[in-house]
Amino acid sequence: MRDPTLDLKVIHLVRDPRAVASSRIRSRHGLIRESLQVVRSRDPHIHRMPFLDAGHKLGGKKEAGGGSDYHALGAMEVICSSMAKTLQTALHPPDWLQGNYMAVRYEDLVVEPIKTLRQVYGFVNLAVSPEMEKFALNMTSGPGYSSKPFVVSARNATQALSAWRTALSYQQIKQVEEYCHQPMALLGYERVGSPEEVKDLSRTLLRKPRL
């Protein structure tokens, strides 16, 4: 980034941490080793945030994943801590980062694919081809939402954005919010106040990001 011979720009794709947690839990078998590695990478000198529910490790649903769900959520503490540091740097950028960093929310790309795509391409001084715009629009206008992990396919934008609200328990959601409240605030992801608020899919939990 500091090399004057390079014109390097960073595009940081972000997503609602609650959706990330839901995806990690859904992909438990493919990511459990990675989640364990992330959890073990935590700085032992930093005070660990306790789980809100002391019995959450099992959660009474062994068939739903048990320990693997526990590690998937635990990994979010490390992931969001790292993200918070990155976003703070972007919020108060040093000289070498100014004008060279762009955060892109997954949700904006899904809801307004053409507008967001043009912003991304404009950031790197490129023009979007009609073929790329058509591809982006088709990928966010599919018939449904696949529950299979690691599958890239066209999907329904509304279902893709709200899937975590029906997949996670209220306790899991509040745990992720405790871990990730700093990056969520910077990126414009609103926290929920009740189980009823989670299930009310007519209410968007997005607001304008601070970045």
mmCIF file of all heavy atoms in Angstrom, residues 30-52:
data_model
loop_
_atom_site.group_PDB
_atom_site.id
_atom_site.type_symbol
_atom_site.label_atom_id
_atom_site.label_comp_id
_atom_site.label_asym_id
_atom_site.label_seq_id
_atom_site.Cartn_x
_atom_site.Cartn_y
_atom_site.Cartn_z
ATOM 1 N N GLY A 30 -18.053 -28.513 7.196
ATOM 2 C CA GLY A 30 -16.958 -28.061 6.348
ATOM 3 C C GLY A 30 -16.041 -27.060 7.024
ATOM 4 O O GLY A 30 -14.900 -26.884 6.606
ATOM 5 N N LEU A 31 -16.545 -26.404 8.094
ATOM 6 C CA LEU A 31 -15.782 -25.319 8.705
ATOM 7 C C LEU A 31 -15.408 -25.566 10.157
ATOM 8 O O LEU A 31 -14.798 -24.699 10.771
ATOM 9 C CB LEU A 31 -16.589 -24.015 8.622
ATOM 10 C CG LEU A 31 -16.745 -23.383 7.238
ATOM 11 C CD1 LEU A 31 -17.635 -22.157 7.320
ATOM 12 C CD2 LEU A 31 -15.396 -23.011 6.652
ATOM 13 N N ILE A 32 -15.755 -26.719 10.718
ATOM 14 C CA ILE A 32 -15.510 -26.891 12.152
ATOM 15 C C ILE A 32 -14.027 -26.825 12.488
ATOM 16 O O ILE A 32 -13.627 -26.230 13.490
ATOM 17 C CB ILE A 32 -16.137 -28.208 12.681
ATOM 18 C CG1 ILE A 32 -15.985 -28.265 14.199
ATOM 19 C CG2 ILE A 32 -15.544 -29.435 11.991
ATOM 20 C CD1 ILE A 32 -16.805 -29.362 14.854
ATOM 21 N N ARG A 33 -13.164 -27.410 11.642
ATOM 22 C CA ARG A 33 -11.727 -27.332 11.914
ATOM 23 C C ARG A 33 -11.234 -25.888 11.824
ATOM 24 O O ARG A 33 -10.434 -25.441 12.639
ATOM 25 C CB ARG A 33 -10.956 -28.217 10.935
ATOM 26 C CG ARG A 33 -11.129 -29.709 11.183
ATOM 27 C CD ARG A 33 -10.249 -30.526 10.254
ATOM 28 N NE ARG A 33 -10.393 -31.955 10.501
ATOM 29 C CZ ARG A 33 -9.756 -32.893 9.823
ATOM 30 N NH1 ARG A 33 -8.921 -32.544 8.853
ATOM 31 N NH2 ARG A 33 -9.947 -34.174 10.109
ATOM 32 N N GLU A 34 -11.750 -25.171 10.811
ATOM 33 C CA GLU A 34 -11.354 -23.774 10.648
ATOM 34 C C GLU A 34 -11.849 -22.946 11.828
ATOM 35 O O GLU A 34 -11.136 -22.082 12.337
ATOM 36 C CB GLU A 34 -11.916 -23.242 9.323
ATOM 37 C CG GLU A 34 -11.371 -21.878 8.901
ATOM 38 C CD GLU A 34 -12.222 -20.737 9.412
ATOM 39 O OE1 GLU A 34 -13.319 -20.993 9.954
ATOM 40 O OE2 GLU A 34 -11.790 -19.581 9.288
ATOM 41 N N SER A 35 -13.072 -23.206 12.294
ATOM 42 C CA SER A 35 -13.610 -22.483 13.441
ATOM 43 C C SER A 35 -12.775 -22.738 14.688
ATOM 44 O O SER A 35 -12.509 -21.820 15.472
ATOM 45 C CB SER A 35 -15.067 -22.895 13.691
ATOM 46 O OG SER A 35 -15.907 -22.456 12.650
ATOM 47 N N LEU A 36 -12.362 -23.983 14.870
ATOM 48 C CA LEU A 36 -11.514 -24.312 16.022
ATOM 49 C C LEU A 36 -10.188 -23.560 15.946
ATOM 50 O O LEU A 36 -9.688 -23.051 16.955
ATOM 51 C CB LEU A 36 -11.260 -25.819 16.072
ATOM 52 C CG LEU A 36 -12.392 -26.671 16.663
ATOM 53 C CD1 LEU A 36 -12.137 -28.147 16.385
ATOM 54 C CD2 LEU A 36 -12.518 -26.431 18.159
ATOM 55 N N GLN A 37 -9.610 -23.476 14.754
ATOM 56 C CA GLN A 37 -8.352 -22.751 14.587
ATOM 57 C C GLN A 37 -8.520 -21.273 14.905
ATOM 58 O O GLN A 37 -7.658 -20.662 15.539
ATOM 59 C CB GLN A 37 -7.832 -22.931 13.152
ATOM 60 C CG GLN A 37 -7.333 -24.332 12.848
ATOM 61 C CD GLN A 37 -6.930 -24.487 11.389
ATOM 62 O OE1 GLN A 37 -7.343 -23.725 10.533
ATOM 63 N NE2 GLN A 37 -6.110 -25.490 11.120
ATOM 64 N N VAL A 38 -9.637 -20.710 14.467
ATOM 65 C CA VAL A 38 -9.902 -19.302 14.748
ATOM 66 C C VAL A 38 -10.049 -19.072 16.240
ATOM 67 O O VAL A 38 -9.473 -18.147 16.809
ATOM 68 C CB VAL A 38 -11.173 -18.829 14.000
ATOM 69 C CG1 VAL A 38 -11.556 -17.419 14.434
ATOM 70 C CG2 VAL A 38 -10.957 -18.872 12.494
ATOM 71 N N VAL A 39 -10.834 -19.919 16.901
ATOM 72 C CA VAL A 39 -11.045 -19.779 18.344
ATOM 73 C C VAL A 39 -9.722 -19.901 19.101
ATOM 74 O O VAL A 39 -9.447 -19.140 20.030
ATOM 75 C CB VAL A 39 -12.052 -20.831 18.846
ATOM 76 C CG1 VAL A 39 -12.111 -20.837 20.364
ATOM 77 C CG2 VAL A 39 -13.440 -20.559 18.270
ATOM 78 N N ARG A 40 -8.884 -20.827 18.687
ATOM 79 C CA ARG A 40 -7.598 -21.043 19.368
ATOM 80 C C ARG A 40 -6.601 -19.913 19.112
ATOM 81 O O ARG A 40 -5.603 -19.801 19.819
ATOM 82 C CB ARG A 40 -6.999 -22.378 18.923
ATOM 83 C CG ARG A 40 -7.758 -23.590 19.480
ATOM 84 C CD ARG A 40 -7.320 -24.869 18.806
ATOM 85 N NE ARG A 40 -8.037 -26.035 19.343
ATOM 86 C CZ ARG A 40 -8.053 -27.235 18.786
ATOM 87 N NH1 ARG A 40 -7.393 -27.437 17.636
ATOM 88 N NH2 ARG A 40 -8.735 -28.222 19.330
ATOM 89 N N SER A 41 -6.876 -19.080 18.108
ATOM 90 C CA SER A 41 -5.960 -17.982 17.797
ATOM 91 C C SER A 41 -6.201 -16.758 18.666
ATOM 92 O O SER A 41 -5.483 -15.765 18.562
ATOM 93 C CB SER A 41 -6.097 -17.592 16.313
ATOM 94 O OG SER A 41 -7.328 -16.915 16.075
ATOM 95 N N ARG A 42 -7.210 -16.815 19.526
ATOM 96 C CA ARG A 42 -7.515 -15.665 20.376
ATOM 97 C C ARG A 42 -6.335 -15.318 21.274
ATOM 98 O O ARG A 42 -5.625 -16.189 21.754
ATOM 99 C CB ARG A 42 -8.738 -15.963 21.246
ATOM 100 C CG ARG A 42 -10.029 -16.131 20.460
ATOM 101 C CD ARG A 42 -11.208 -16.383 21.366
ATOM 102 N NE ARG A 42 -11.058 -17.611 22.142
ATOM 103 C CZ ARG A 42 -12.016 -18.158 22.875
ATOM 104 N NH1 ARG A 42 -13.195 -17.565 22.944
ATOM 105 N NH2 ARG A 42 -11.820 -19.272 23.528
ATOM 106 N N ASP A 43 -6.168 -14.042 21.500
ATOM 107 C CA ASP A 43 -5.120 -13.563 22.395
ATOM 108 C C ASP A 43 -5.489 -13.966 23.826
ATOM 109 O O ASP A 43 -6.516 -13.511 24.356
ATOM 110 C CB ASP A 43 -4.997 -12.042 22.287
ATOM 111 C CG ASP A 43 -3.830 -11.482 23.085
ATOM 112 O OD1 ASP A 43 -3.329 -12.184 24.000
ATOM 113 O OD2 ASP A 43 -3.415 -10.353 22.804
ATOM 114 N N PRO A 44 -4.673 -14.799 24.488
ATOM 115 C CA PRO A 44 -5.032 -15.265 25.839
ATOM 116 C C PRO A 44 -5.025 -14.157 26.890
ATOM 117 O O PRO A 44 -5.576 -14.320 27.978
ATOM 118 C CB PRO A 44 -3.948 -16.315 26.146
ATOM 119 C CG PRO A 44 -2.788 -15.919 25.283
ATOM 120 C CD PRO A 44 -3.391 -15.350 24.034
ATOM 121 N N HIS A 45 -4.416 -13.012 26.564
ATOM 122 C CA HIS A 45 -4.338 -11.915 27.533
ATOM 123 C C HIS A 45 -5.573 -11.010 27.489
ATOM 124 O O HIS A 45 -5.738 -10.158 28.346
ATOM 125 C CB HIS A 45 -3.085 -11.075 27.271
ATOM 126 C CG HIS A 45 -1.809 -11.853 27.377
ATOM 127 N ND1 HIS A 45 -1.333 -12.369 28.569
ATOM 128 C CD2 HIS A 45 -0.919 -12.230 26.422
ATOM 129 C CE1 HIS A 45 -0.205 -13.022 28.353
ATOM 130 N NE2 HIS A 45 0.081 -12.959 27.058
ATOM 131 N N ILE A 46 -6.412 -11.190 26.461
ATOM 132 C CA ILE A 46 -7.612 -10.374 26.347
ATOM 133 C C ILE A 46 -8.756 -11.060 27.088
ATOM 134 O O ILE A 46 -8.979 -12.254 26.932
ATOM 135 C CB ILE A 46 -7.992 -10.166 24.860
ATOM 136 C CG1 ILE A 46 -6.876 -9.396 24.142
ATOM 137 C CG2 ILE A 46 -9.317 -9.425 24.742
ATOM 138 C CD1 ILE A 46 -7.152 -9.183 22.667
ATOM 139 N N HIS A 47 -9.489 -10.272 27.865
ATOM 140 C CA HIS A 47 -10.622 -10.814 28.619
ATOM 141 C C HIS A 47 -11.673 -11.347 27.660
ATOM 142 O O HIS A 47 -12.129 -10.658 26.760
ATOM 143 C CB HIS A 47 -11.241 -9.735 29.506
ATOM 144 C CG HIS A 47 -12.471 -10.184 30.236
ATOM 145 N ND1 HIS A 47 -12.427 -11.138 31.234
ATOM 146 C CD2 HIS A 47 -13.769 -9.823 30.100
ATOM 147 C CE1 HIS A 47 -13.657 -11.336 31.685
ATOM 148 N NE2 HIS A 47 -14.481 -10.543 31.017
ATOM 149 N N ARG A 48 -12.027 -12.587 27.851
ATOM 150 C CA ARG A 48 -12.997 -13.218 26.957
ATOM 151 C C ARG A 48 -14.416 -12.827 27.357
ATOM 152 O O ARG A 48 -14.759 -12.795 28.540
ATOM 153 C CB ARG A 48 -12.878 -14.744 27.021
ATOM 154 C CG ARG A 48 -11.523 -15.254 26.560
ATOM 155 C CD ARG A 48 -11.531 -15.604 25.087
ATOM 156 N NE ARG A 48 -11.765 -14.492 24.192
ATOM 157 C CZ ARG A 48 -10.808 -13.623 23.829
ATOM 158 N NH1 ARG A 48 -9.597 -13.720 24.297
ATOM 159 N NH2 ARG A 48 -11.083 -12.650 22.988
ATOM 160 N N MET A 49 -15.223 -12.539 26.359
ATOM 161 C CA MET A 49 -16.626 -12.242 26.605
ATOM 162 C C MET A 49 -17.379 -13.549 26.837
ATOM 163 O O MET A 49 -17.330 -14.453 26.001
ATOM 164 C CB MET A 49 -17.222 -11.508 25.404
ATOM 165 C CG MET A 49 -18.631 -10.998 25.623
ATOM 166 S SD MET A 49 -19.232 -10.148 24.149
ATOM 167 C CE MET A 49 -18.072 -8.784 24.064
ATOM 168 N N PRO A 50 -18.037 -13.702 27.977
ATOM 169 C CA PRO A 50 -18.724 -14.973 28.254
ATOM 170 C C PRO A 50 -19.948 -15.151 27.370
ATOM 171 O O PRO A 50 -20.526 -14.181 26.871
ATOM 172 C CB PRO A 50 -19.132 -14.826 29.724
ATOM 173 C CG PRO A 50 -19.286 -13.349 29.906
ATOM 174 C CD PRO A 50 -18.224 -12.711 29.041
ATOM 175 N N PHE A 51 -20.360 -16.394 27.183
ATOM 176 C CA PHE A 51 -21.602 -16.662 26.482
ATOM 177 C C PHE A 51 -22.760 -16.187 27.351
ATOM 178 O O PHE A 51 -22.738 -16.336 28.571
ATOM 179 C CB PHE A 51 -21.742 -18.158 26.197
ATOM 180 C CG PHE A 51 -21.064 -18.579 24.924
ATOM 181 C CD1 PHE A 51 -19.747 -19.013 24.943
ATOM 182 C CD2 PHE A 51 -21.734 -18.523 23.710
ATOM 183 C CE1 PHE A 51 -19.113 -19.392 23.779
ATOM 184 C CE2 PHE A 51 -21.104 -18.902 22.538
ATOM 185 C CZ PHE A 51 -19.794 -19.335 22.573
ATOM 186 N N LEU A 52 -23.753 -15.607 26.712
ATOM 187 C CA LEU A 52 -24.902 -15.085 27.444
ATOM 188 C C LEU A 52 -25.663 -16.200 28.144
ATOM 189 O O LEU A 52 -26.221 -16.016 29.205
ATOM 190 C CB LEU A 52 -25.835 -14.348 26.484
ATOM 191 C CG LEU A 52 -25.223 -13.132 25.777
ATOM 192 C CD1 LEU A 52 -26.237 -12.536 24.809
ATOM 193 C CD2 LEU A 52 -24.790 -12.081 26.779
#
